[in-house]
Amino acid sequence: MQFSENWLRTMVDPKMSSDELSHLLTMSGLEVEEVEPVAPPFNNVVVAEIREIAKHPDADRLNICQVDVGTGTLLNIVCGAPNVRVGMRVPCAMAGAILPPGADGKPFEIKVGKLRGVESQGMLCSARELKLSDDAGGLMDLPADAPVGQNFRDYYQLNDLKFTIKLTPNKADCLSVLGVAREVSALTGTPMHLPTTKEIPVTLDEILPVKVSAPDLCGRFCGRVIRGVNAKASTPEWMKQRLERSGQRPISALVDISNYVMLELGRPSHVFDLDKIHGGMDVRWGKAGESVKLLNGNTVEVDEWIGVIADDKEIESLAGIMGGDSTSVTLDTQNIYLEAAFWWPNAIQGRARRFNFSTDAAHRFERGVDFENIVEHIERITALIVEICGGAEQVKVGPVDDQIVNLPQRLPVKLRTARAQKVIGVPLTDAAIADIFTRLNLQFTHQDGEFLVTPPSYRFDIEIEEDLIEEVARVYGFENIPALPPVAASAMLIAPENERSLFAIRRLIADQDYQEVVNYSFVEEAWEKDFAGNDAPIKLLNPIASQMGVMRTNLIGSLIANARYNLNRKVNRVRIFEIGAVYLRDQAVADGALSVAGYHQPKHLSALAYGPVVEEQWGVAQRNVDFFDVKADLEALFAPKTLRFVKTEHIALHPGRSASIECDGQQIGFIGELHPRLQQKYDLPLAPVVFEVETSALQAVSVPVYHEISKFQAVTRDLALVVKHGVAVQDLLDVFKAEAHNNEACKIMQAVVLFDEYRGKGLEADEKSLAFRFSLQDTQTTLQDDRVETAMAALTSAAGQKFSAKLR
């Protein structure tokens, strides 16, 4: 919302500076986004009149003008403007004037000088030279009654300021100068001076037949026939100024008057060319297959979701959004139909966005416009049309056709003083609240500790008690609410040693050369099917985009999208991770402070590696990342815990290159290479390796426990076992660990690692050789060979019993 400060002060003029007014509005919830002067600084420019014009003797395009600037002496000024004429009143920069900077960025000083041998004692100015507009077609033509000699800045009110207010969607009542004036009056106690309108007598009996067929679209419809208007009349300068300083471009008198009253009172209206209307008009919902050409030149298709105003032949307007081209007024228009209506907000919301444009009318109607003062506003527009476009003798005015169909019911809203005190934190009295409601023009009844407030017709934002509390807080003044310390005890809580923060986890995985990404929790439905095998995802009722309609149950789809985004921008090595919530159906979950009944929302950590293991360099041979590289990163992340990897199948992963992840006996996630089918579908040249684990498993860490460090030398033994191909290394490691736990002779085993795998000559076709290295050590004595051999024999025997393993 943009408006002129001078215009506002014609309605309410508080005794405060512009800066104070700006601060007051901002602190009341009407954020002043920008305050800027309507014109750049310049001086010594006055209103002048051209008395005589003579041709320059040495230049065909120049004229020598005798100019009256109110000093009693005519100035000799050389001018080359094409529209210069005798009797014209223009801005004149006298000698010594400093004009706004030109193309070089330096202020332009006017001096007495000679042009082609003729002395020029000043300069006649165009609007562009004064930086008032981009019009460079000639001198700025002022009205004939402009006082000669008056300072041009004072005459043209150039010491005015333009206020730009950033309104929240609930403050639709402030989308007008009147609305802002009401706020200023309530905040400062300054009385308002509303624009006075002289009611125009009815001189015509004609009424255009109008039928309101859709009461859920239009609640009240007012119209009036006006004949004999002069559409070619020029818009008054004062109106042009106010329009321009409110961000509106003057077009023609009839259109300007409609726009002016919209900015002044907040009510959009529309002017139809009466002679272009076929028969009567019908306010209804559109029909499939209908179309209309709009004032902006677009032709749009309508259906049952779009409200229209139609005559007996065609659609003439999109209801509450934009008029049609077929009945638009032109400079030849003589007879008009003036329309103003109350459109239900929910019947306008979203309609303009459907056609990819926005209008001032739709912006206001979809938020709610005053439905009581429509007739008064019609009278205001009529009075301006009669005044500007012809006069009372020429213009014939018909009666107002006011059809009240379906108006909103203004239900009273209750406010409890005790509740307001608790929410605002200030001991407000009943008298103070009553004063605030009176200043806001809110009608109320009062009994001890309670108010019953009936919202006015222009306030669509007052529906519940909290809305009234907000009004009380705004007018009381946010700056007057004391900043008090919390009354609850504040204690520094020690972080438990057995729990790791998500921040620490981020640092750990970032140290593994992964970069964090943040994605939406809503994803495409196809992703859920591809990456989670979920045919019944949790759907959103109101998605922000059609392709983001369901909640994710894992993070893989988002990471794949991130990888594709980077690959499309020539990034050939991608290592990314995300920590975020996933959303799973779980009937065991009850409603709580941070939970929703029926839905489990755990946090997961997921990572993706694609492309070379390391950046290209001379010291390391280039190879692409594989399953074991990412597995090593994952093991480093969980260290000192030991993870168990179990071969498994996952719908999104390669059948032979994937595993489930177990920690402390619980399955916590999965790891693997992307399935070739999905690699092809999502156009990835290489298969990325991904993993996903529950963050709760990562956050739980073991508290360090002291173990005695042996002073005696460790012994290393290698054991090569021949087993069938189907025997997994992890299964053998489990057997060794179990034997070390249950067999006293094997408790000296400290660690075991696989260091070799062999298949081929010397073995059967279905056999393989696995070589393990054991570290053995005792904390109390030096190991003797017999203890070592006993332990190794027991370990070999255990593997033989479980998997028929034999020594190689």
Side-chain angles (χ1 to χ4, degrees):
M1 174 63 191
Q2 183 176 300
F3 59 88
S4 152
E5 181 185 6
N6 285 352
W7 191 3
L8 175 66
R9 288 186 183 272
T10 62
M11 294 190 188
V12 59
D13 190 9
K15 304 304 179 186
M16 57 177 54
S17 66
S18 301
D19 289 340
E20 292 170 335
L21 178 60
S22 171
H23 182 74
L24 175 75
L25 290 172
T26 297
M27 295 311 298
S28 70
L30 309 182
E31 181 187 350
V32 178
E33 193 171 30
E34 186 178 17
V35 178
E36 58 178 337
V38 299
F42 56 82
N43 60 23
N44 213 15
V45 179
V46 300
V47 176
E49 181 182 2
I50 301 173
R51 293 292 186 86
E52 298 178 11
I53 299 177
K55 283 292 183 180
H56 194 291
D58 295 329
D60 293 339
R61 295 186 179 181
L62 296 180
N63 296 296
I64 303 171
C65 304
Q66 299 299 309
V67 181
D68 180 6
V69 294
T71 60
T73 304
L74 298 182
L75 299 183
N76 194 70
I77 297 178
V78 178
C79 174
N83 64 334
V84 62
R85 68 180 187 276
V86 173
M88 184 180 188
R89 299 199 177 187
V90 297
C92 176
M94 298 192 295
I98 304 295
L99 298 187
D104 59 357
K106 298 178 181 179
F108 184 57
E109 183 178 358
I110 302 300
K111 300 178 182 179
V112 176
K114 289 188 176 182
L115 289 176
R116 294 287 184 93
V118 176
E119 184 177 68
S120 183
Q121 299 169 327
M123 185 175 83
L124 303 180
C125 301
S126 67
R128 184 174 185 176
E129 288 162 337
L130 297 176
K131 294 293 187 288
L132 299 181
S133 76
D134 294 329
D135 182 13
L139 299 179
M140 190 173 180
D141 195 352
L142 301 181
D145 60 353
V148 174
Q150 183 179 4
N151 186 298
F152 179 70
R153 292 193 71 92
D154 295 336
Y155 169 73
Y156 222 63
Q157 298 183 14
L158 295 181
N159 296 317
D160 191 9
L161 295 174
K162 288 188 291 187
F163 277 60
T164 302
I165 293 181
K166 187 178 181 181
L167 291 174
T168 51
N170 64 315
K171 291 300 292 176
D173 59 298
C174 292
L175 284 168
S176 64
V177 178
L178 172 63
V180 178
R182 275 194 297 248
E183 290 291 310
V184 174
S185 178
L187 294 168
T188 63
T190 307
M192 289 182 61
H193 304 285
L194 297 180
T196 56
T197 300
K198 178 182 177 182
E199 188 170 336
I200 303 299
V202 174
T203 55
L204 193 67
D205 294 334
E206 184 178 359
I207 294 178
L208 182 72
V210 176
K211 177 184 176 183
V212 179
S213 301
D216 54 341
L217 166 66
C218 179
R220 184 175 184 180
F221 190 94
C222 292
R224 161 175 271 175
V225 172
I226 304 177
R227 290 187 175 273
V229 299
N230 176 19
K232 297 179 181 178
S234 60
T235 305
E237 286 298 322
W238 61 268
M239 183 178 286
K240 285 184 179 179
Q241 282 185 14
R242 290 180 176 180
L243 287 171
E244 288 170 345
R245 294 172 190 182
S246 300
Q248 293 279 352
R249 181 174 59 89
I251 299 173
S252 67
L254 292 173
V255 176
D256 293 346
I257 291 169
S258 176
N259 288 337
Y260 176 81
V261 175
M262 177 186 70
L263 295 170
E264 181 183 55
L265 304 178
R267 173 174 308 288
S269 59
H270 189 64
V271 181
F272 294 87
D273 189 321
L274 182 64
D275 298 328
K276 298 177 182 178
I277 298 175
H278 308 92
M281 301 183 79
D282 187 9
V283 180
R284 59 175 174 80
W285 292 106
K287 300 174 184 177
E290 290 185 315
S291 64
V292 57
K293 184 178 181 181
L294 300 175
L295 290 173
N296 62 6
N298 294 349
T299 299
V300 298
E301 301 283 338
V302 305
D303 55 26
E304 295 81 359
W305 194 60
I306 306 296
V308 300
I309 301 176
D311 61 17
D312 295 345
K313 180 180 178 182
E314 60 187 352
I315 295 175
E316 303 296 358
S317 173
L318 291 184
I321 300 175
M322 184 181 288
D325 181 69
S326 63
T327 54
S328 62
V329 293
T330 66
L331 296 181
D332 297 324
T333 297
Q334 296 180 350
N335 307 309
I336 63 172
Y337 182 71
L338 180 59
E339 168 264 318
F342 168 71
W343 307 101
W344 281 93
N346 58 3
I348 306 300
Q349 290 166 359
R351 273 65 174 185
R353 286 194 298 275
R354 172 174 172 176
F355 301 121
N356 295 321
F357 61 76
S358 178
T359 65
D360 290 330
H363 185 74
R364 287 164 171 79
F365 281 126
E366 66 186 4
R367 287 160 171 79
V369 172
D370 188 358
F371 53 83
E372 279 192 357
N373 299 324
I374 299 181
V375 174
E376 289 82 351
H377 293 182
I378 285 272
E379 293 290 353
R380 171 66 171 160
I381 300 173
T382 302
L384 289 171
I385 290 175
V386 171
E387 177 187 344
I388 297 170
C389 299
E393 295 181 0
Q394 175 184 340
V395 179
K396 305 300 180 183
V397 177
V400 176
D401 177 24
D402 183 15
Q403 300 186 41
I404 299 176
V405 182
N406 178 27
L407 295 183
Q409 299 299 314
R410 309 308 280 166
L411 300 177
V413 181
K414 183 171 72 172
L415 179 135
R416 297 161 290 172
T417 303
R419 175 65 176 164
Q421 291 174 348
K422 182 177 180 181
V423 172
I424 300 174
V426 174
L428 294 164
T429 63
D430 284 7
I433 294 176
D435 176 61
I436 289 172
F437 286 161
T438 302
R439 290 158 63 184
L440 287 170
N441 197 29
L442 300 179
Q443 303 299 318
F444 64 90
T445 58
H446 172 234
Q447 57 184 6
D448 190 28
E450 282 189 3
F451 292 83
L452 206 59
V453 179
T454 302
S457 56
Y458 53 84
R459 293 298 299 270
F460 284 78
D461 59 318
I462 298 178
E463 296 180 338
I464 58 177
E465 185 176 22
E466 282 70 18
D467 296 330
L468 291 174
I469 293 174
E470 180 186 4
E471 293 302 297
V472 172
R474 285 194 318 110
V475 179
Y476 179 81
F478 294 124
E479 290 179 307
N480 296 325
I481 300 175
L484 300 175
V487 294
S490 180
M492 295 294 291
L493 301 178
I494 300 174
E497 283 188 89
N498 65 343
E499 186 175 331
R500 187 161 44 186
S501 70
L502 290 178
F503 177 78
I505 294 172
R506 286 184 171 92
R507 294 298 300 270
L508 283 172
I509 191 167
D511 290 343
Q512 301 291 329
D513 196 24
Y514 289 82
Q515 298 186 46
E516 185 174 14
V517 295
V518 180
N519 294 299
Y520 283 108
S521 292
F522 352 107
V523 298
E524 294 184 34
E525 191 169 350
W527 290 5
E528 276 299 291
K529 189 170 184 180
D530 287 343
F531 299 108
N534 185 5
D535 292 322
I538 300 169
K539 294 187 177 182
L540 294 168
L541 292 177
N542 186 25
I544 63 173
S546 59
Q547 73 274 18
M548 303 173 76
V550 302
M551 306 301 290
R552 62 186 179 183
T553 56
N554 69 31
L555 311 181
I556 301 301
S558 301
L559 295 186
I560 295 296
N562 296 145
R564 291 185 65 205
Y565 182 89
N566 282 275
L567 289 172
N568 290 339
R569 284 151 185 81
K570 308 301 181 183
V571 178
N572 66 341
R573 181 177 184 269
V574 180
R575 294 173 75 88
I576 52 178
F577 78 93
E578 180 178 10
I579 295 179
V582 297
Y583 303 86
L584 312 169
R585 285 191 170 89
D586 187 348
Q587 298 304 319
V589 177
D591 264 328
L594 298 174
S595 61
V596 177
Y599 298 97
H600 183 40
Q601 305 174 52
K603 285 192 177 293
H604 283 192
L605 163 66
S606 186
L608 175 147
Y610 177 95
V613 175
V614 295
E615 295 285 357
E616 188 173 1
Q617 56 169 297
W618 64 269
V620 178
Q622 188 171 6
R623 68 175 180 85
N624 292 323
V625 69
D626 61 20
F627 175 94
F628 298 101
D629 295 313
V630 178
K631 177 174 175 285
D633 293 337
L634 188 59
E635 289 176 322
L637 197 60
F638 274 86
K641 286 187 177 181
T642 302
L643 296 179
R644 174 182 168 85
F645 297 88
V646 180
K647 182 181 178 181
T648 188
E649 289 192 6
H650 188 283
I651 191 169
L653 303 180
H654 193 295
R657 300 174 189 172
S658 57
S660 61
I661 306 166
E662 295 181 2
C663 180
D664 298 331
Q666 300 292 324
Q667 183 172 327
I668 61 167
F670 55 84
I671 181 174
E673 193 178 284
L674 190 68
H675 198 289
R677 170 179 54 84
L678 298 178
Q679 178 188 344
Q680 182 180 9
K681 178 176 179 178
Y682 290 95
D683 195 22
L684 297 169
L686 302 173
V689 182
V690 298
F691 72 78
E692 184 166 325
V693 294
E694 299 172 9
T695 56
S696 56
L698 264 171
Q699 289 182 276
V701 294
S702 301
V703 178
V705 178
Y706 170 75
H707 291 284
E708 184 180 0
I709 299 175
S710 179
K711 301 177 183 178
F712 304 97
Q713 185 176 359
V715 175
T716 300
R717 288 288 188 271
D718 292 346
L719 180 63
L721 297 175
V722 177
V723 295
K724 298 296 184 182
H725 282 178
V727 178
V729 173
Q730 186 65 57
D731 294 335
L732 285 170
L733 293 175
D734 290 342
V735 168
F736 296 149
K737 186 181 291 186
E739 189 68 17
H741 183 267
N742 299 324
N743 190 336
E744 191 68 28
C746 296
K747 290 187 182 297
I748 60 175
M749 186 185 84
Q750 302 297 324
V752 56
V753 295
L754 175 74
F755 70 87
D756 184 51
E757 177 183 356
Y758 173 75
R759 306 183 192 203
K761 188 177 179 180
L763 299 178
E764 298 294 334
D766 61 346
E767 290 181 337
K768 63 181 176 181
S769 172
L770 302 174
F772 298 91
R773 179 159 294 156
F774 293 83
S775 294
L776 310 170
Q777 192 176 34
D778 195 329
T779 59
Q780 304 299 324
T781 182
T782 302
L783 289 179
Q784 301 297 322
D785 286 345
D786 56 342
R787 289 189 65 190
V788 173
E789 296 302 332
T790 300
M792 294 304 297
L795 293 169
T796 304
S797 175
Q801 292 175 10
K802 184 73 174 177
F803 299 110
S804 301
K806 57 185 180 182
L807 287 172
R808 182 177 173 188

